[in-house]
Amino acid sequence: MCYVSENLSCRRLSDCECNDVESLWLLCRYPRMPRHVSHILIGIIYFPPDGDGAFTVAHIINCLDKITQKYSNVGIILCGDFNKLNDRAIINYPLKQVVKLATRRNNILDKIYTNIAEWYDIPVILPPIAASDHNVVLMCTVISQCGNRKLSCDSFTYIYSRSNDPNGKALLAHALSIQNWIPLYKMDDCSVMLDYFYCVVYNLLDYYLPVRITMRHPTEKPWVNERFRRLIRQRQYAWQDHDMNKYRTLRNLVQRTARNLRNKYYGRCVKSLQNAGPRKWWHAVKRITGKSQQGPTVINLATDGDIQKLVNEINEFFYSVSCDLPSLDSSGMPDIDDASLDMFIIEPYQVESKLAKLCPNKACGPDEIPNWFWRDYSVWLAEPLCAIFNCSIRHGIVPSIWKQANVVPVPKSNPPTSINKDLRPISLTPTVSKILESFVGQWILDDIADKIDGRQYGALRGRSTTHELVDILHHWHKALENNSSVRVVFIDYAKAFDHVDHSIVIHKLIALGVSPVLVRWIGSFLCHRQQRVKLSEYVSEWLTLKGGMPQGSYLGPLVFLVLINDLTAGCLLHKFMDDTTLTEIIPSGENSKMSAMVHDVVMWSVKNQMNINWGKTKEMLIGTNTTGSIDDILCKGNNTIERVNTFKLLGVHIDSNLKWASHVDSICAKASSRLFFLKMLKRCSISINDLLYFYTSAIRPILEYACPAWHTSLTKDQSRQIEHIQKRALRIIFNSNCIDYKNFCQVHHITPLTDRRYELCKLFFNNMLQENSCLHYLLPPPRQDICYKLRHTVKFEPPTAKSVRFQNSFIVYALNNYQSDK
């Protein structure tokens, strides 16, 4: 039952009701709705204690899908008596359950799920009415001090951008083509050369393509133009003057204009994305649907409203992370042989090739020169830049402006609550400095490629998170098959990239045999680096760092690999950059030695100025050891390592029983939340082919990430759970609640997810068969008894397994199923 005010426009959605589920669906609309919400959907549900939970949840999800397909900007309020209904799918829709106190005895049976929780105060629990044994749940809208509903902010954003005038670009190209760079070539100091180069570039840019300022409301749609804003103002004036005839005329005109502008804008966006990659599609869709215009959530940390003060505090904190480290000691730099300088020369065509491949949409650094400028004019800029690069390498000096970075504080959680814990510094360095870093980084990698730890899977060609997961899981499965137990410790380093001792890095580069020319250049690159925090239009002061590596630079990951390369612990140790996993295999009847292994890691970390985050370092026990002792608690000083049953390793949730229920639930929840964007695009009259492309590029990869690590061990129910996401997507795309799934897949050339994962796993295994694969060592020795020709020759002997778990592990399953599958 639902009572509705007679002043509220409301209609009952009878076609969503079902005889087998007690539900009521209402679609309401206020006289004046917020800009980003069109309707309010109210669903009232009663789920009896002995009801069919799966059927009820399916009914709710289908009704929500059906309604949101037609009204994509709908606010949802789902309430009622849900008893013990499993609401995982409802939460993953995504909706938020806002009732936090018991409504019947000690249980929360009466719940409210909504996607507009910010509009309402926390629900209040009141005494029952009459003879009911359920408490009353009261949820009221947020009311501001002036009595108006607090729905949006009326502040404006000022956007600074360079002119995009085609005539100006043509004139700029002509000016660069006739520019005389001979004075630059006669200089012998790379810093002076760079100052001269930037002076010429800035003058030409400001003359032909000056900076312009535009004003935009934070919630304004990207297709809004000045004519549409004028119509909105006229409509609002008519409302204030109580001229209802004029108001209705303008209201209808605004709606028609909005529809036309929206369709034209979406058509242009989709047309430009026909041949684009998944990354561009995903960013474009968020821009089209308005989800990229949320504004920086970090500003919410400014409790007193002083954003400039907040920016300075963030910068001070990022600086304080490395202020305890000593400055780089330049006395330990190796001597340079002049003959070795000839080995490191950059040619103009190499610089032009890298400039031409730059992504124009990436943010620029402190020099504020956009990437499209370097790309579009690479033909004329390559030679002077090449001269500066070679001068920098020859003298071992990096210009100061190339060692500056605008730091963007990226929240680790949404919304962030603490500067110390919830912010990650991402450094935006000058684009051309990254080009030079790429040359130096490749030279260093050539020197140390054969000396890098074989179980380091981060930032190296031919290695990925999937490779590390398959490697780790194979060792765990193999240990359990041999009746051993597995003890795992997941080490987390606090501010790993921001707490790097530069002197230690230089010593390790020398020890690895890196050329003295490159070591000297790296020393200049690391010392006296400067940073400032930039948040919207607010900028902090420059601070000079004593340590750390800029996250976002080309050399950052490579230098960190050098730092952590010699980390060992006397046991199986896998690394993906700073994510370190210790694995101890404990044979039946033996005791654990993990405490000593953790001690070795701690000693290495202290020696190398690395700080372990004990709060995020976890331990997991896999298997059982009936006679051995693994009940000891790992402690270091006052720090105790927590023992967990589930851990998220490199984006994959791993349970201590090596089953995949947690991971399947997680990826289904994430993919389900992205179906919202699919509905938004459907409402924008995007073609079916484009909707399919968006699904396959932005949603389906979530359901297939690192699938070789877990696909072969899925249960049938888990496989169906993942497949259900694709079924929901097809229902949205084809605007039908009843589709023949297999027929749709065949007609539209969509492969079921189970078959796709099978093919992806098979392809991954075929790559493992190559001798240069980092996982080739996991395969058994090839057979020597093949002396006759068969239609399908099996190179490796198919292994046998005593347990179903080991039989379904990736390596064993692949050797038994993929070798002869042609």
Side-chain angles (χ1 to χ4, degrees):
M1 181 185 295
C2 182
Y3 289 92
V4 182
S5 171
E6 61 182 6
N7 297 324
L8 184 63
S9 175
C10 175
R11 61 189 178 91
R12 179 177 177 179
L13 305 178
S14 303
D15 56 334
C16 292
E17 297 174 10
C18 172
N19 293 332
D20 298 323
V21 178
E22 195 167 341
S23 66
L24 179 65
W25 299 90
L26 305 174
L27 194 64
C28 305
R29 182 174 174 84
Y30 289 96
R32 298 181 68 191
M33 296 293 294
R35 183 178 301 173
H36 51 285
V37 174
S38 60
H39 296 78
I40 301 293
L41 173 65
I42 302 176
I44 300 94
I45 306 294
Y46 172 68
F47 175 69
D50 58 348
D52 186 346
F55 185 83
T56 301
V57 170
H59 167 75
I60 294 173
I61 296 298
N62 289 337
C63 289
L64 292 176
D65 279 345
K66 180 179 179 180
I67 298 169
T68 54
Q69 285 177 34
K70 187 174 183 181
Y71 308 97
S72 58
N73 296 326
V74 65
I76 300 173
I77 301 176
L78 189 64
C79 55
D81 182 359
F82 291 86
N83 279 299
K84 298 294 184 179
L85 179 67
N86 185 349
D87 61 355
R88 182 177 58 202
I90 301 175
I91 295 294
N92 294 343
Y93 192 76
L95 299 176
K96 181 180 180 181
Q97 206 287 106
V98 295
V99 179
K100 303 302 181 183
L101 300 178
T103 62
R104 184 179 184 271
R105 298 178 184 172
N106 295 325
N107 302 315
I108 303 179
L109 303 183
D110 306 274
K111 304 177 181 179
I112 300 176
Y113 302 87
T114 181
N115 61 351
I116 48 175
E118 67 276 8
W119 292 10
Y120 297 90
D121 286 321
I122 299 174
V124 179
I125 307 301
L126 302 178
I129 293 178
S132 173
D133 61 347
H134 287 247
N135 295 330
V136 172
V137 181
L138 177 63
M139 185 174 72
C140 299
T141 54
V142 175
I143 304 297
S144 64
Q145 294 181 356
C146 61
N148 296 323
R149 192 166 280 104
K150 180 183 175 184
L151 296 179
S152 63
C153 175
D154 293 328
S155 60
F156 286 87
T157 301
Y158 294 92
I159 302 174
Y160 298 83
S161 60
R162 286 200 176 272
S163 170
N164 197 32
D165 179 33
N167 293 330
K169 287 187 174 183
L171 293 172
L172 176 59
H174 176 71
L176 285 172
S177 67
I178 62 175
Q179 174 64 36
N180 182 14
W181 294 108
I182 293 179
L184 182 144
Y185 299 145
K186 293 181 178 180
M187 299 175 184
D188 196 36
D189 186 329
C190 65
S191 297
V192 177
M193 295 172 69
L194 187 62
D195 290 341
Y196 178 84
F197 176 80
Y198 273 135
C199 181
V200 172
V201 167
Y202 286 141
N203 288 335
L204 292 177
L205 275 174
D206 292 339
Y207 184 79
Y208 292 107
L209 300 173
V211 176
R212 294 177 176 176
I213 304 175
T214 56
M215 186 175 64
R216 179 172 290 274
H217 195 279
T219 61
E220 192 171 78
K221 303 298 183 183
W223 42 263
V224 171
N225 58 19
E226 186 57 36
R227 176 175 175 271
F228 185 74
R229 295 191 191 99
R230 187 164 56 252
L231 287 175
I232 291 288
R233 289 194 293 269
Q234 293 175 0
R235 184 197 64 182
Q236 298 305 96
Y237 292 151
W239 173 272
Q240 295 174 3
D241 296 339
H242 303 288
D243 188 348
M244 300 311 297
N245 291 330
K246 184 177 180 181
Y247 168 77
R248 294 188 185 95
T249 301
L250 290 171
R251 179 195 61 190
N252 296 336
L253 180 58
V254 165
Q255 292 176 353
R256 289 194 302 269
T257 305
R259 188 183 306 111
N260 293 333
L261 289 174
R262 184 171 60 243
N263 291 341
K264 290 180 180 179
Y265 173 78
Y266 294 157
R268 290 195 304 270
C269 289
V270 172
K271 184 177 180 179
S272 65
L273 293 170
Q274 292 293 336
N275 299 319
R279 182 181 179 87
K280 289 184 178 179
W281 256 97
W282 179 237
H283 288 293
V285 167
K286 288 198 292 186
R287 185 179 70 253
I288 290 173
T289 57
K291 291 300 178 181
S292 61
Q293 307 295 330
Q294 298 297 326
T297 57
V298 179
I299 290 180
N300 297 333
L301 293 172
T303 54
D304 56 356
D306 191 345
I307 301 177
Q308 185 61 53
K309 179 182 176 182
L310 171 68
V311 170
N312 292 330
E313 290 177 354
I314 295 174
N315 195 34
E316 289 288 346
F317 168 71
F318 289 156
Y319 165 77
S320 67
V321 172
S322 62
C323 66
D324 63 317
L325 296 174
S327 299
L328 177 62
D329 183 9
S330 58
S331 61
M333 294 295 177
D335 296 330
I336 297 177
D337 182 7
D338 291 340
S340 60
L341 290 173
D342 296 335
M343 301 171 55
F344 306 103
I345 297 177
I346 303 171
E347 298 293 341
Y349 76 89
Q350 296 174 307
V351 178
E352 181 183 347
S353 176
K354 289 184 177 290
L355 290 175
K357 296 177 182 177
L358 288 175
C359 176
N361 298 323
K362 287 190 175 182
C364 56
D367 59 4
E368 297 184 352
I369 299 180
N371 278 11
W372 59 260
F373 171 77
W374 303 113
R375 184 198 64 176
D376 294 349
Y377 304 104
S378 58
V379 175
W380 302 286
L381 299 174
E383 277 200 17
L385 280 176
C386 183
I388 299 173
F389 288 170
N390 285 322
C391 185
S392 175
I393 297 294
R394 184 169 59 254
H395 293 104
I397 296 175
V398 180
S400 298
I401 192 173
W402 284 355
K403 295 191 289 185
Q404 294 178 340
N406 288 334
V407 175
V408 179
V410 177
K412 297 180 182 179
S413 58
N414 193 14
T417 58
S418 170
I419 294 177
N420 298 353
K421 298 179 180 179
D422 296 337
L423 297 181
R424 177 184 291 109
I426 301 299
S427 299
L428 299 177
T429 56
T431 300
V432 286
S433 71
K434 294 180 184 177
I435 299 293
L436 180 54
E437 288 177 49
S438 67
F439 288 108
V440 176
Q442 188 58 53
W443 289 331
I444 294 176
L445 195 58
D446 292 340
D447 287 344
I448 67 174
D450 57 341
K451 302 171 186 177
I452 296 178
D453 186 356
R455 290 198 171 93
Q456 169 63 265
Y457 290 92
L460 294 172
R461 188 183 300 274
R463 303 189 177 205
S464 66
T465 55
T466 304
H467 288 87
E468 178 172 338
L469 289 166
V470 169
D471 191 0
I472 291 178
L473 289 168
H474 177 70
H475 285 92
W476 294 354
H477 281 106
K478 189 176 181 179
L480 298 182
E481 180 71 3
N482 295 329
N483 296 322
S484 299
S485 296
V486 180
R487 192 174 194 180
V488 188
V489 174
F490 305 99
I491 302 290
D492 183 85
Y493 284 102
K495 306 294 181 181
F497 275 77
D498 306 320
H499 200 268
V500 174
D501 190 310
H502 295 161
S503 298
I504 294 176
V505 169
I506 293 298
H507 292 321
K508 291 191 176 185
L509 285 170
I510 296 174
L512 289 172
V514 176
S515 171
V517 176
L518 302 180
V519 173
R520 183 181 63 172
W521 191 92
I522 289 292
S524 176
F525 174 79
L526 292 177
C527 70
H528 304 303
R529 297 196 65 86
Q530 290 185 310
Q531 73 171 31
R532 65 180 181 183
V533 170
K534 186 174 183 180
L535 190 62
S536 188
E537 68 270 19
Y538 298 92
V539 181
S540 68
E541 297 294 330
W542 290 104
L543 292 178
T544 303
L545 304 174
K546 292 185 177 181
M549 285 302 302
Q551 298 187 50
S553 64
Y554 182 92
L555 283 176
L558 181 59
V559 170
F560 190 84
L561 287 184
V562 172
L563 175 65
I564 204 171
N565 188 60
D566 59 349
L567 171 59
T568 57
C571 66
L572 192 62
L573 188 146
H574 292 82
K575 292 175 283 189
F576 192 92
M577 300 305 293
D578 61 310
D579 290 331
T580 305
T581 305
L582 307 181
T583 298
E584 181 191 15
I585 298 175
I586 309 171
S588 179
E590 296 188 10
N591 295 329
S592 172
K593 301 177 183 177
M594 180 59 78
S595 181
M597 299 170 186
V598 172
H599 177 75
D600 292 342
V601 175
V602 172
M603 291 298 100
W604 180 93
S605 302
V606 172
K607 180 181 177 181
N608 290 272
Q609 300 282 4
M610 299 285 289
N611 300 322
I612 296 178
N613 186 345
W614 295 104
K616 293 185 178 180
T617 297
K618 308 295 180 183
E619 175 195 8
M620 180 185 291
L621 301 182
I622 303 173
T624 58
N625 192 331
T626 56
T627 58
S629 174
I630 54 175
D631 294 331
D632 59 306
I633 299 176
L634 296 177
C635 299
K636 288 298 170 185
N638 297 326
N639 303 303
T640 301
I641 298 179
E642 180 186 0
R643 185 173 293 176
V644 297
N645 293 322
T646 301
F647 186 81
K648 186 178 181 181
L649 177 63
L650 303 179
V652 173
H653 293 79
I654 299 178
D655 294 343
S656 58
N657 57 8
L658 296 186
K659 296 183 180 179
W660 300 103
S662 300
H663 181 65
V664 171
D665 289 345
S666 174
I667 61 176
C668 288
K670 187 175 180 180
S672 179
S673 65
R674 290 197 177 184
L675 292 179
F676 164 79
F677 294 98
L678 196 62
K679 299 172 188 174
M680 292 288 289
L681 292 175
K682 177 68 176 180
R683 180 172 170 79
C684 299
S685 303
I686 304 299
S687 69
I688 289 178
N689 290 335
D690 292 328
L691 292 174
L692 283 172
Y693 185 83
F694 171 71
Y695 163 72
T696 57
S697 60
I699 300 177
R700 190 172 65 184
I702 298 173
L703 305 172
E704 297 174 343
Y705 168 71
C707 63
W710 47 267
H711 164 68
T712 57
S713 299
L714 291 181
T715 65
K716 291 183 179 179
D717 288 339
Q718 291 167 350
S719 184
R720 282 195 292 266
Q721 184 179 349
I722 298 174
E723 203 77 44
H724 180 68
I725 300 297
Q726 180 158 290
K727 293 179 181 179
R728 284 183 60 192
L730 293 181
R731 284 200 295 265
I732 295 171
I733 293 172
F734 294 98
N735 199 24
S736 174
N737 292 320
C738 300
I739 65 171
D740 185 343
Y741 178 65
K742 293 183 178 180
N743 183 48
F744 264 76
C745 289
Q746 292 177 356
V747 171
H748 297 282
H749 307 289
I750 301 174
T751 307
L753 296 181
T754 304
D755 297 340
R756 277 187 54 82
R757 292 196 303 272
Y758 181 89
E759 294 299 326
L760 290 172
C761 291
K762 181 181 174 183
L763 178 62
F764 187 86
F765 177 73
N766 290 336
N767 291 332
M768 282 181 57
L769 297 179
Q770 306 298 322
E771 293 185 0
N772 60 350
S773 171
C774 59
L775 296 184
H776 186 76
Y777 82 99
L778 295 178
L779 302 176
R783 294 175 58 185
Q784 304 296 332
D785 57 347
I786 304 176
C787 57
Y788 48 85
K789 293 184 179 181
L790 299 174
R791 179 175 299 177
H792 300 306
T793 303
V794 177
K795 183 177 180 181
F796 300 96
E797 183 69 30
T800 58
K802 295 181 293 184
S803 64
V804 176
R805 175 171 53 196
F806 189 55
Q807 183 179 357
N808 289 334
S809 64
F810 175 73
I811 300 295
V812 177
Y813 183 91
L815 289 170
N816 283 310
N817 293 273
Y818 297 152
Q819 287 194 85
S820 59
D821 187 7
K822 300 295 182 180

